[in-house]
Amino acid sequence: MLENFQYSHELESGFLWIRVIRAEEIDATVGLLLESFPQLMSMPSKYVQLVDFYQYMVEIQGVMPDMATLVALYRGENGEVELGGTVAVSFNKRGVTVSPPTPRPPKDSPYIYNMTVKKSLRRRRIGWHLLKACEELIRQMRCNSDKVYLHCRMIDRAPFNMYTKAGYNVIKNDNIFVLLTLQRRKYLMCKKMPFADCKSEVDIVESCDEYSVSGISA
């Protein structure tokens, strides 16, 4: 089911497909993550000390089906396809390969993390559809918990407004002492999902099987 999962949507300025990452797309996805989260490479945390980003991305593929990394492929008006964004989602405690930041979500609940959109493609609702794709995939995976969690840095107002609009509420936040560790304060946000008998929001209008982003620099 994970391998066949597809979410697609026609945007005002192009077309978007979201699906599980393929091996040939790891390089481009790592580049996008490093561009978006450069602070992770200098943080003295367990998250970074495990391995470099590339090895981490390779290893988490072995955790499926307990988690998945999704990529958003964007086709603009010129017809070219590029990597527009990525997000990771764990479905249970076996899917979280490293300890989430504080405040921590419940161990056996779905958790969305590492979401980012390519800078040149922001403000096109790609982040919104990455979030919706995660929720749809969580729904299809029939997780044990009906609550979905994610983190948002307090300074990131645009993502915070997007999560709030999508129905996520703040349930905890870092205290001010986390600043002593040179990290940004974060909200832990939660949304209750009506998994049973809920209507799918997936809009499948075109297959993306023929497209991949191997060799495309993020």
Side-chain angles (χ1 to χ4, degrees):
M1 193 278 288
L2 283 175
E3 292 178 353
N4 294 327
F5 175 79
Q6 291 187 25
Y7 174 111
S8 58
H9 191 83
E10 188 167 0
L11 307 175
E12 291 184 2
S13 59
F15 200 86
L16 188 71
W17 300 270
I18 299 174
R19 57 162 169 73
V20 174
I21 191 174
R22 297 173 180 171
E24 65 268 22
E25 296 162 342
I26 290 179
D27 285 349
T29 304
V30 168
L32 178 58
L33 287 168
L34 290 176
E35 175 187 282
S36 303
F37 305 116
Q39 70 275 14
L40 292 179
M41 298 309 294
S42 58
M43 285 171 52
S45 67
K46 181 180 178 182
Y47 183 85
V48 176
Q49 291 174 350
L50 287 175
V51 280
D52 61 26
F53 253 140
Y54 181 82
Q55 187 62 34
Y56 170 71
M57 288 294 296
V58 171
E59 289 186 356
I60 62 176
Q61 302 311 304
V63 187
M64 292 175 63
D66 296 310
M67 68 83 60
T69 297
L70 303 181
V71 291
L73 307 182
Y74 173 78
R75 185 179 67 192
E77 296 177 351
N78 61 4
E80 295 184 0
V81 177
E82 59 183 312
L83 178 64
T86 184
V87 65
V89 54
S90 66
F91 307 112
N92 52 56
K93 62 184 178 182
R94 295 184 299 275
V96 180
T97 57
V98 292
S99 296
T102 57
R104 291 186 173 87
K107 290 184 178 180
D108 210 27
S109 295
Y111 174 58
I112 298 171
Y113 61 107
N114 280 1
M115 180 190 293
T116 187
V117 174
K118 190 174 182 179
K119 289 182 179 179
S120 62
L121 295 178
R122 291 176 182 173
R123 292 185 171 85
R124 302 180 192 229
R125 294 179 61 83
I126 293 176
W128 175 267
H129 290 292
L130 279 169
L131 183 62
K132 293 290 124 181
C134 286
E135 292 178 354
E136 174 60 23
L137 185 54
I138 290 169
R139 186 190 71 82
Q140 293 187 20
M141 292 295 289
R142 300 183 180 276
C143 301
N144 294 329
S145 173
D146 63 349
K147 293 181 180 178
V148 181
Y149 294 83
L150 55 81
H151 281 98
C152 180
R153 299 192 310 174
M154 291 184 179
I155 64 169
D156 293 336
R157 301 310 301 175
F160 178 79
N161 292 336
M162 180 184 74
Y163 296 143
T164 301
K165 183 179 179 181
Y168 289 82
N169 297 303
V170 175
I171 58 171
K172 291 182 181 179
N173 59 264
D174 280 322
N175 62 50
I176 197 169
F177 294 106
V178 75
L179 298 175
L180 298 177
T181 66
L182 304 181
Q183 298 183 51
R184 298 285 189 178
R185 296 180 69 190
K186 296 171 292 297
Y187 294 119
L188 177 63
M189 305 184 74
C190 176
K191 176 179 180 178
K192 187 170 182 179
M193 299 285 291
F195 292 127
D197 301 322
C198 67
K199 183 178 179 181
S200 172
E201 295 187 42
V202 169
D203 177 21
I204 302 297
V205 296
E206 186 175 342
S207 172
C208 64
D209 289 342
E210 61 183 293
Y211 299 109
S212 69
V213 291
S214 58
I216 295 179
S217 172

